[in-house]
Each structure stands twice: as C-alpha cells, then as structure tokens.
Amino acid sequence: MSQRVLLILLSVSIWALSGVLSATNIVTNLRLWRAPDHTRLVLDLTKPADHRVFTLTNPSRVVVDLEDANLFTALDALELTDSGVGSVRAAQRENGGLRVVLDLTEALSPRSFVLPPNEQYGHRLVIDLQREDDASTTVQAAREVRQAQTGGQRDIIIAIDAGHGGEDPGAIGRSRTFEKNVVLAIARELEALVEATPGYTPFMVRTGDYYISLVRRRQLAREANADFFVSVHADAFTSPQPSGASVYALSDRGATSTMASYLAESENAADTIGGVGGVNLESMDAVVRSVIVDLAMTHSMQEGLTVGSSVLGQLRSITRLHKPQVEQAGFAVLRSPDVPSILVETGFMSNAADERNLGSQAYRRRLAQAIFNGIKGHFDAHPPPNTWVYAQRANSQTFSSYTVRSGDTLSGIAARHRVSLSRLREINNMNSDIIRVGQVLRVPSG
C-alpha cells in the first residue's frame, strides 16, 4: 500500500473519530471533595449531561449512567480517604453509554445536578453523597460549641464563615489566586484570635476546601447558638480599578422577605428564636409568633449595622475602604432570623494590589485582627447577659446617681450615659420604662 493511500486512510479515520467524539459526551476529568456532611464527586464534561443516578445494595453502590458518553481520564488519581467511597470504576455499555460505579464504605444518599460552564470549568455533572446529620462533624462541633463556658458563665460564640469552597472557587485573581483559599486563611486567623480571648469561643462554619450552601451556613450558626455571624469574602469586578474593603449588613427588604418565608415554613413553629435561653414558638398563635420573629429580625439587623460600623472603623486603619459606610443588601447568608450578622469583603481579587495583599499572610493577619477588634469592641461594651464577659464588666463597673428631671425619658438617660436601655433597667431593677421626676437612678460612672 502506497504512502499516499495510508495518509488518505489515516485522514479519513481521524475525520471519522472526530465526528464520533463531537457527537459523544466526553468525561475529561473527575474531582472529589470531602465535606463533613457530604462527599461531592464532579465529572467534567464536554456538553450537558443526559444521565440517571440510582443505588444498589449488597454491596452498597451508587451507579451513574451517562448517555452516549466516553471516559477520557484516569480514575486511580482520586483521593478517596474518609470520603465514604471505597473505589470508583467505569465501563462502556453496549448502547454507547458510560456507567460509573461508586463502591460505598458507609451509608450515603445520592443526589445529582448539572452545572453550566463558568470561568474555571466547563459543563459539569455533580453527584452529592449525603451523610446523616448525626454523622456530620460540623454539626457535632456546633452542638459542642453551645456548651462553651469560662468560669461558670457561657462564652460569647462567634460563627466564622469562609465564603465559597470546593467546586465553587469564588473570585479568581489574575495571578490565579482563589477567593475560597484566601478567605479560609483569613477565617483561620480570626478563629485563632477568638480562641485566644477569654470569654469568647469561635465556631468555624467551613473548616476545609468544600462547599456548603448559603442556607446551611446560617443554619449551622444557629445550631451553634452563635451570638454573632461574620462571613468573610473577597470581591471582584469586570475592571481592575475598584479596590478596598467593604462591610455589609442585612437590608430592610432582606429582613422582611426572610421573616415572611420563615413564618411560612410550618416546621419553624417548633423552633426557638433568640439563641441561648430563647423563646419557643411552638405554643404561640400566628400573630404572636409573627411579632416575636419581627422583633428578632429587627434586632438582628440593627446589631449587624452596629457591629459592622465598628468593624469598618477598624479596617479603615489598615486598608483602603471601597465604601465609607456599612452597606445593606439582601445577602442570603445574612438572613438568619435571630443571629446578628455581617459580610466583610476584604478586597478585590480583580485588583492587582488587593490580590497581592490578600496573598500575604501578614496582611491577612492584620485583616483578621481588625475584624476581631471591631466585633470584640462591640461585645465588650454590650455583652449578652449570662456571659462571662457580661459578669466581668458588671463586676468592674462603678456607678453614680442621676436624679430624673422634667422631660427625661429612660431611653434618653440611657443614651446620655452610653448604656443600653435593657442594662439600665437591670441596674435599677425596673420592669418597665416608666420614670417619675425626682426618682434617683443608678447609672454607669464615666
């Protein structure tokens, strides 16, 4: 056979193969992420997946069938340690499809969904293998954090949420710095600062490189009975000019929609609003329940704004601010009915200087210190009752006398003496805001 004929046959074969491959879905890569409450397997594909997922027993397996697909990657490179998956194998089916089998080592419940291309990945098929809640180390950690105490009184619990994670990288800088890695590093610095401070206990919402839904993040903070929730992020924009840090609190619109959806879910009727020592809603009628949740949402939003301003003031001393005041938005992760929260954008990954700073451990440590100083400054001045910080402040505080004059209100007196209304009532053993001219009140000195 002549060389010319060989070249023609080779060209025809390549052309035919390219036609087949263009019509076939190709699995180009597999990635696996281990989270406390689930394991996520991601298949990178050349087109949207036509698939089905089902389970088999004796032994336990999860089977993924892909229509008209081929596998063009190795399976033995997957790190399966502690994933609940013992092995992954694949084979072509007679109908041209591809079957991927996951041999399980523990009870896992699968669910699947497809994702469209983003700036990092193409088409993807995601298989989430869910564990029971009781097996979740994150949930268990939340339950244990509730018991945190210092010297007989409970600690103030700060929930620290590192944004994104796992398959969701967040913003990506020009030097390929991933937001998910930067914010986890900042969160760990913040955790160390909280842990080292008497009367305070940290709760890490995300402890590794895996994804947690926005709803689950705030649920975990509530399960830990957190006094405050701070979500750490890094921004991005279509142009490289914007830079600097921002702080966000929940908006009125976000609070209103959250309250409505919360009250619409019947299972929340048996919930407890207000964290430690909160109010059980189960025995209340709909109107009273609505009032309680409304008060909790209003307090949560206002405290978020107050702490946010404190954090922003601390950030101002170490970095440029993108916005000079606390912004308000309906971020889903902030929509807890009774855990005050803020979202801190630590800088812009799309800005070269910010990306370079955020890649520095020393800079991340300063950011964490600023965030912590802002949160601690607020809670040192306004500690929740029955906490160690509250007891320390009460024991060290001195008082003077104030005689009520015409035109005085209890709230006005509280504001002038820089004390909360509830604290002023407590100091004076009052169960209402009614005062009379000539009444002598104890107020904090200085």
Side-chain angles (χ1 to χ4, degrees):
M1 188 179 293
S2 69
Q3 186 176 8
R4 174 176 163 74
V5 172
L6 282 172
L7 288 173
I8 291 172
L9 288 175
L10 180 60
S11 298
V12 170
S13 299
I14 292 172
W15 175 81
L17 179 61
S18 65
V20 170
L21 293 182
S22 64
T24 300
N25 206 345
I26 307 298
V27 181
T28 60
N29 191 29
L30 287 89
R31 295 184 303 284
L32 187 137
W33 311 93
R34 168 68 163 87
D37 57 358
H38 72 278
T39 290
R40 172 167 289 188
L41 179 69
V42 182
L43 287 72
D44 287 322
L45 306 165
T46 55
K47 60 177 64 177
D50 186 359
H51 75 287
R52 73 185 185 112
V53 176
F54 57 95
T55 59
L56 296 173
T57 57
N58 298 322
S60 295
R61 289 154 289 166
V62 172
V63 179
V64 183
D65 279 344
L66 291 158
E67 297 297 323
D68 191 23
N70 282 289
L71 181 69
F72 272 44
T73 186
L75 300 177
D76 54 8
L78 286 173
E79 175 53 61
L80 302 177
T81 305
D82 296 328
S83 67
V85 179
S87 62
V88 181
R89 46 199 171 90
Q92 290 297 141
R93 305 177 68 200
E94 291 183 0
N95 63 1
L98 176 70
R99 170 163 290 183
V100 179
V101 179
L102 313 177
D103 297 305
L104 303 183
T105 60
E106 62 179 271
L108 298 171
S109 302
R111 72 181 184 98
S112 65
F113 56 94
V114 295
L115 290 175
N118 62 16
E119 65 175 299
Q120 187 179 11
Y121 300 114
H123 293 283
R124 287 154 290 163
L125 170 62
V126 178
I127 313 296
D128 273 346
L129 306 170
Q130 201 72 34
R131 293 177 178 80
E132 294 297 324
D133 262 1
D134 287 343
S136 168
T137 56
T138 301
V139 172
Q140 187 58 37
R143 291 169 182 160
E144 290 172 359
V145 159
R146 294 179 185 179
Q147 310 304 321
Q149 291 189 333
T150 300
Q153 287 109 3
R154 76 172 186 87
D155 285 0
I156 294 172
I157 299 169
I158 308 299
I160 305 167
D161 172 48
H164 307 281
E167 187 65 12
D168 175 17
I172 303 173
R174 292 193 174 188
S175 299
R176 305 299 294 172
T177 306
F178 286 9
E179 178 185 357
K180 66 175 183 177
N181 298 331
V182 165
V183 297
L184 182 58
I186 296 170
R188 283 176 172 152
E189 295 284 356
L190 182 55
E191 177 192 25
L193 291 167
V194 178
E195 186 70 63
T197 305
Y200 288 83
T201 291
F203 169 65
M204 287 286 282
V205 174
R206 176 166 76 88
T207 58
D209 188 12
Y210 52 82
Y211 179 76
I212 304 176
S213 73
L214 299 177
V215 171
R216 189 64 183 139
R217 290 170 192 258
R218 63 184 194 238
Q219 284 175 343
L220 286 168
R222 294 196 74 224
E223 288 185 34
N225 279 343
D227 293 282
F228 197 75
F229 176 94
V230 54
S231 190
V232 185
H233 288 256
D235 220 332
F237 197 64
T238 52
S239 72
Q241 281 76 32
S243 65
S246 307
V247 177
Y248 290 86
L250 186 64
S251 68
D252 286 310
R253 181 177 297 178
T256 302
S257 62
T258 299
M259 189 187 77
S261 61
Y262 187 84
L263 291 170
E265 296 173 14
S266 58
E267 61 268 25
N268 289 333
D271 204 353
T272 300
I273 288 289
V276 179
V279 180
N280 192 303
L281 303 178
E282 190 168 14
S283 60
M284 298 179 180
D285 64 33
V287 175
V288 176
R289 192 182 306 146
S290 175
V291 171
I292 295 294
V293 174
D294 184 33
L295 288 171
M297 285 299 311
T298 301
H299 173 266
S300 177
M301 185 179 67
Q302 291 301 324
E303 188 148 345
L305 283 166
T306 302
V307 179
S309 295
S310 179
V311 169
L312 200 67
Q314 293 290 327
L315 288 170
R316 183 178 283 110
S317 65
I318 65 161
T319 187
R320 180 183 183 276
L321 297 182
H322 182 63
K323 298 285 187 179
Q325 69 282 325
V326 177
E327 299 290 297
Q328 289 184 267
F331 286 115
V333 77
L334 301 181
R335 294 183 179 185
S336 178
D338 57 349
V339 181
S341 54
I342 57 172
L343 185 148
V344 180
E345 294 282 7
T346 54
F348 280 78
M349 301 299 293
S350 49
N351 178 274
D354 278 6
E355 181 187 8
R356 186 166 55 251
N357 284 335
L358 291 170
S360 159
Q361 182 182 12
Y363 183 77
R364 293 194 298 262
R365 188 168 292 151
R366 291 199 299 274
L367 282 174
Q369 186 71 65
I371 295 169
F372 178 61
N373 288 348
I375 296 172
K376 183 176 182 293
H378 171 79
F379 281 105
D380 281 353
H382 308 283
N386 304 317
T387 61
W388 184 84
V389 176
Y390 183 94
Q392 294 299 111
R393 184 171 184 271
N395 292 339
S396 63
Q397 196 165 40
T398 58
F399 300 94
S400 57
S401 297
Y402 177 82
T403 302
V404 177
R405 299 189 293 264
S406 177
D408 274 343
T409 63
L410 195 66
S411 60
I413 296 169
R416 285 201 299 277
H417 290 86
R418 298 184 180 181
V419 62
S420 70
L421 189 57
S422 60
R423 175 65 174 148
L424 188 57
R425 286 196 212 101
E426 181 190 8
I427 293 168
N428 290 278
N429 297 314
M430 300 172 65
N431 53 20
S432 75
D433 293 352
I434 298 172
I435 54 176
R436 64 183 186 279
V437 175
Q439 181 179 354
V440 178
L441 300 176
R442 294 176 75 217
V443 295
S445 298

